[in-house]
Amino acid sequence: MLRISKLTDYGIVIATHLASCGGPHPVSDLSAETEIPAPTVAKVLKALARAEVVTSQRGARGGYQLAHRPEDISVVRVIEALEGPIAVTECVDDESVCSHEARCNVRANWQRINDAVYAALDGIKLSDMAEPGGARLVQLVRSAGEANRARIGV
Amino acid sequence: MLRISKLTDYGIVIATHLASCGGPHPVSDLSAETEIPAPTVAKVLKALARAEVVTSQRGARGGYQLAHRPEDISVVRVIEALEGPIAVTECVDDESVCSHEARCNVRANWQRINDAVYAALDGIKLSDMAEPGGARLVQLVRSAGEANRARIGV
DNA sequence: ATAAAGAGGACCAATCTAGTCTCGATTGCT
DNA sequence: AGCAATCGAGACTAGATTGGTCCTCTTTAT
Ligand code: SF4
Ligand code: SF4
């Protein structure tokens, strides 16, 4: 598990699609192109628009397009737009409080892990997701592996 | 979001606690020491025992203890024991299938991201969680940040 | 004016989660 | 042998979350 919600997943798929084709796309087109039901596409895009990940144009010949360049939008932006701040544990989230916070001694470490996950996802931009090869992503995975090996080597 | 479940969190807390004190601990003790309700502690430990993260000893003066050395158990072991394989998206999971898999063009990239997350979490051992300072964890976070910066620099 | 689009939000069914409880099987101790 | 401590398996519930649909209203190009 440790899964992003399905709607968030759709958000990435749609945003990535928008990254590859320019101009404003109405929901109907995006639904056809991504094979995701139109009402769902609409729901996702409304959330993305509120978070200013995409911009909308109403009326005839309107639709959605990215609010910034694909290389300036990270997957974190999309995830946070759809399911709130990244927080692997409850104590890391500002909104909620865990009743054990006061005397939990793994809390500080979770904060660090959360930062690491955030940084990793923030390093991945929509432009990276748009290339099927994912050349840049390979770098990232390798870095994570190195961190792992470095740790073991200590 | 992108949160581990609360039971999993407890699993880490309990396992980390076991990492710092040796001998077999009965549920009642662990409950008192971690301030987690006993039935819940029991539920978590049963799952961990099934996954062979901890071993159990029944009868009087029995209890639970780690099945391996703390430095040989990563947080991934605990997470997977409690909520199944790490799978940020549906398509990465072997069990379930996403209906878009055939023509989804971000799928391959999610697989890479998933690998990165897995590697990062696998690099963190219970022994790391047990030190409040988390000296080794700093390394990891730094690595992730570097990967990010490297990516931007490209 | 009209038709094409998005905005906002209500709504529902299905699933998942957290947590409790009961009963039965082991096992050390005396 | 008997007893009390302790784990094992799993049923069960209430509440939260998720995925998905639908309706009404506003905006805007032509
Ligand atoms: S304070 Fe401890 S128990 Fe509470 S959410 Fe954080 S890590 Fe988990
Ligand atoms: S195949 Fe595409 S839409 Fe389906 S789970 Fe994977 S990334 Fe998401």
Side-chain angles (χ1 to χ4, degrees):
Chain A
M1 284 295 178
L2 197 73
R3 180 163 315 178
I4 64 173
S5 91
K6 204 153 192 177
L7 290 215
T8 306
D9 184 9
Y10 291 160
I12 300 279
V13 171
I14 297 168
T16 303
H17 185 77
L18 285 175
S20 35
C21 333
H25 295 257
V27 166
S28 54
D29 287 12
L30 289 168
S31 169
E33 286 153 10
T34 60
E35 303 191 41
I36 300 168
T40 303
V41 173
K43 185 177 194 174
V44 168
L45 281 170
K46 275 183 278 189
L48 290 182
R50 246 173 274 143
E52 295 178 9
V53 173
V54 300
T55 56
S56 63
Q57 172 64 29
R58 291 199 193 180
R61 301 206 41 106
Y64 291 95
Q65 54 188 319
L66 290 184
H68 312 277
R69 289 177 307 168
E71 55 269 30
D72 290 339
I73 304 177
S74 74
V75 299
V76 173
R77 286 290 306 277
V78 179
I79 295 177
E80 295 199 326
L82 287 160
E83 47 188 65
I86 301 272
V88 284
T89 61
E90 198 168 357
C91 54
V92 175
D93 192 357
D94 297 327
E95 314 283 320
S96 52
V97 240
C98 169
S99 50
H100 301 86
E101 277 189 36
R103 47 217 169 304
C104 177
N105 50 357
V106 303
R107 186 184 163 202
N109 290 329
W110 271 123
Q111 179 66 59
R112 292 207 179 80
I113 294 173
N114 195 72
D115 292 348
V117 171
Y118 184 96
L121 293 177
D122 195 39
I124 302 168
K125 311 299 180 182
L126 287 187
S127 48
D128 299 326
M129 292 302 275
E131 348 175 7
R136 307 234 199 303
L137 277 178
V138 174
Q139 274 198 323
L140 231 165
V141 174
R142 194 171 332 121
S143 304
E146 265 156 27
N148 188 2
R149 259 170 274 126
R151 162 63 192 72
I152 290 167
V154 167
Chain B
M1 286 299 177
L2 195 73
R3 183 163 314 179
I4 63 173
S5 92
K6 204 151 192 177
L7 290 213
T8 307
D9 183 9
Y10 292 159
I12 300 279
V13 171
I14 296 167
T16 303
H17 185 78
L18 286 175
S20 35
C21 333
H25 295 258
V27 166
S28 54
D29 286 12
L30 289 169
S31 169
E33 286 153 10
T34 59
E35 304 192 41
I36 299 168
T40 303
V41 173
K43 185 178 195 174
V44 168
L45 280 171
K46 274 183 277 186
L48 290 181
R50 247 173 277 143
E52 296 177 9
V53 173
V54 300
T55 55
S56 63
Q57 174 64 28
R58 291 196 192 182
R61 302 209 38 107
Y64 291 97
Q65 55 188 320
L66 291 184
H68 313 276
R69 290 177 308 167
E71 54 269 29
D72 290 339
I73 304 178
S74 73
V75 299
V76 173
R77 285 292 305 277
V78 178
I79 295 177
E80 294 199 326
L82 288 161
E83 46 187 66
I86 300 272
V88 283
T89 61
E90 199 167 357
C91 54
V92 175
D93 192 357
D94 296 327
E95 314 283 319
S96 54
V97 239
C98 170
S99 50
H100 301 85
E101 276 189 35
R103 47 216 168 304
C104 177
N105 50 355
V106 304
R107 187 187 162 200
N109 290 329
W110 272 122
Q111 178 66 59
R112 293 208 179 79
I113 294 173
N114 196 72
D115 291 349
V117 170
Y118 183 96
L121 293 177
D122 195 39
I124 302 168
K125 311 299 181 183
L126 287 187
S127 49
D128 300 326
M129 293 302 276
E131 346 175 9
R136 307 232 200 305
L137 278 178
V138 173
Q139 274 199 323
L140 231 167
V141 175
R142 194 171 331 120
S143 304
E146 266 156 26
N148 188 1
R149 260 170 272 125
R151 163 63 193 74
I152 290 168
V154 168

